[in-house]
Amino acid sequence: MRVGIPGGLLYYRYGRLWNSFLHALGAEVVESGETTRSILNSGVSKAENESCLPVKVFYGHVLALREKVDALFVPRLVSVKRRTHTCPKMLGLPDMARAAAGGAVPVISPTIDFQSGLWHNYRAVYSLGRIFTSDPRRIIAAGITAWREHLLYLERLTLGLDHRGALKGEADRLLCEGRDLRIGVIGHHYNVYDTFTTMSLLERLGAMGVDVMTADMVPEKLRDRELKRLPKDIYWSYEQEVAGAILACTRYRLVDGIIFMISFPCGPDSIVRVLCEQENRLMGGVPMLTLVIDEHTGEGGFLTRIEAFVDMLWRRKRREVEELEEAV
């Protein structure tokens, strides 16, 4: 069976896991690849206008695959952590994929919900495996192998590899190599690692001589510690990661400035943005630039804002060094 994995949204977090598991079960896995102008345009033409940019991109990836595969693989992730839920668009992703495919191919969509306990998730994964094989030992072995590869992928992200480098297990350079200026590029995986919608932001910052720290590179202990300081828990699991990373970067001065990547019109990110900006000001934190991207974002204006922000940080850095030298 040829199974297609759309290369949008949660693919940047779980793509390695899904590919490894399906491949080990004997499926021929077909990925839609990186986002292109053609994929974006087809997604924009099919998706609702009110949808956020990543959903429109996801539609485009589904359309790129629907004629090439026997089935699409789009899990429904309800909750990936106790007492939290994923964003509503993640809950409805399989239904959106069916709408985009228009009945051309079936959509395989196991439901993962950590609110229902681990046993529920084991059964969901096992039922998925039964589509491809009746051998339970093969399903278990595939699950173990896939989970190990997934953990290895996440570990590579924490070490400073970008999405491509983490998938291959190698990279031409690390995002953080000890340069004088370091900027935190914080946002969801699909808002940071999609080189088309971000206009290769990570590579451009590297070319400017700037180190980059992503949310993956912020120690989990520091993120959790900052979240506990908030007066109220954040409801969405992935937004918890983003907020924890921004607040940790601010409190512990892990970076010289923060670029918060948001896609229009994301509701949860808008709330987190206000929360983080307020906390950042209260802590006397680091300069923070919020970039809201959509399908109309122009490269010229986008780069101008990046360059101006980097220039400002360099001037600030030099002034701090001069003041320190005068004090000594």
Side-chain angles (χ1 to χ4, degrees):
M1 179 188 293
R2 291 166 61 88
V3 181
I5 300 178
L9 286 172
L10 293 174
Y11 168 81
Y12 289 94
R13 181 180 294 267
Y14 303 110
R16 168 62 74 187
L17 172 72
W18 299 339
N19 189 318
S20 175
F21 183 64
L22 295 173
H23 179 75
L25 292 174
E28 181 181 352
V29 180
V30 181
E31 297 184 352
S32 53
E34 297 189 7
T35 305
T36 63
R37 172 59 63 184
S38 173
I39 285 177
L40 175 60
N41 288 342
S42 63
V44 169
S45 67
K46 188 75 175 179
E48 292 292 330
N49 287 334
E50 292 79 10
S51 302
C52 65
L53 175 64
V55 168
K56 294 173 181 175
V57 171
F58 178 79
Y59 265 77
H61 282 279
V62 170
L63 294 173
L65 282 173
R66 65 175 179 176
E67 305 293 340
K68 303 176 182 176
V69 297
D70 302 311
L72 291 168
F73 182 71
V74 185
R76 189 188 307 277
L77 299 190
V78 178
S79 170
V80 295
K81 188 178 179 182
R82 295 296 300 270
R83 294 188 291 277
T84 67
H85 281 78
T86 61
C87 164
K89 63 176 174 282
M90 304 301 179
L91 302 181
L93 214 52
D95 306 307
M96 288 189 277
R98 291 187 181 93
V105 291
V107 176
I108 301 173
S109 56
T111 298
I112 303 299
D113 182 3
F114 277 77
Q115 300 286 4
S116 301
L118 284 177
W119 182 242
H120 164 84
N121 297 320
Y122 288 144
R123 290 181 61 184
V125 174
Y126 183 75
S127 298
L128 168 64
R130 291 279 293 178
I131 297 175
F132 301 92
T133 178
S134 58
D135 185 351
R137 291 173 299 180
R138 189 176 181 186
I139 297 173
I140 294 171
I144 293 173
T145 300
W147 187 250
R148 286 174 177 167
E149 290 200 19
H150 173 61
L151 294 180
L152 181 59
Y153 168 74
L154 295 181
E155 183 182 358
R156 288 168 176 163
L157 292 180
T158 65
L159 294 176
L161 277 70
D162 63 8
H163 167 68
R164 293 174 181 168
L167 284 177
K168 294 185 297 185
E170 58 185 24
D172 297 333
R173 67 174 185 83
L174 296 176
L175 296 175
C176 197
E177 295 182 331
R179 301 180 180 92
D180 291 335
L181 191 69
R182 181 186 301 166
I183 295 178
V185 180
I186 310 297
H188 297 297
H189 283 190
Y190 47 82
N191 281 339
V192 172
Y193 294 127
D194 189 325
T195 55
F196 182 79
T197 58
T198 64
M199 303 175 202
S200 302
L201 174 61
L202 301 184
E203 290 83 353
R204 290 178 189 274
L205 288 174
M208 294 178 189
V210 175
D211 268 357
V212 170
M213 172 174 276
T214 63
D216 297 295
M217 298 162 66
V218 179
E220 186 175 357
K221 287 184 179 179
L222 297 185
R223 296 198 310 249
D224 292 342
R225 189 182 301 170
E226 290 309 305
L227 291 174
K228 290 177 181 175
R229 297 177 192 271
L230 296 175
K232 191 174 182 180
D233 291 340
I234 296 176
Y235 186 69
W236 305 284
S237 49
Y238 299 129
E239 272 68 19
Q240 282 190 354
E241 291 182 4
V242 171
I246 291 176
L247 298 179
C249 284
T250 297
R251 184 176 301 278
Y252 302 103
R253 299 296 192 272
L254 301 179
V255 296
D256 299 295
I258 296 172
I259 297 176
F260 185 17
M261 298 293 294
I262 297 178
S263 52
F264 181 82
C266 179
D269 272 0
S270 299
I271 297 173
V272 169
R273 171 190 178 180
V274 174
L275 173 68
C276 290
E277 288 178 345
Q278 289 177 344
E279 293 293 323
N280 190 21
R281 280 195 294 270
L282 290 175
M283 288 188 277
V286 299
M288 183 170 166
L289 170 67
T290 300
L291 288 178
V292 184
I293 54 175
D294 64 12
E295 63 270 29
H296 304 298
T297 301
E299 184 173 0
F302 183 84
L303 293 181
T304 298
R305 297 187 68 187
I306 298 296
E307 291 170 354
F309 187 64
V310 172
D311 287 344
M312 183 271 291
L313 293 179
W314 274 121
R315 289 198 301 273
R316 193 170 185 264
K317 188 87 173 179
R318 284 193 290 268
R319 187 170 63 247
E320 290 175 351
V321 172
E322 290 171 358
E323 291 174 353
L324 180 62
E325 289 175 348
E326 290 176 0
V328 173

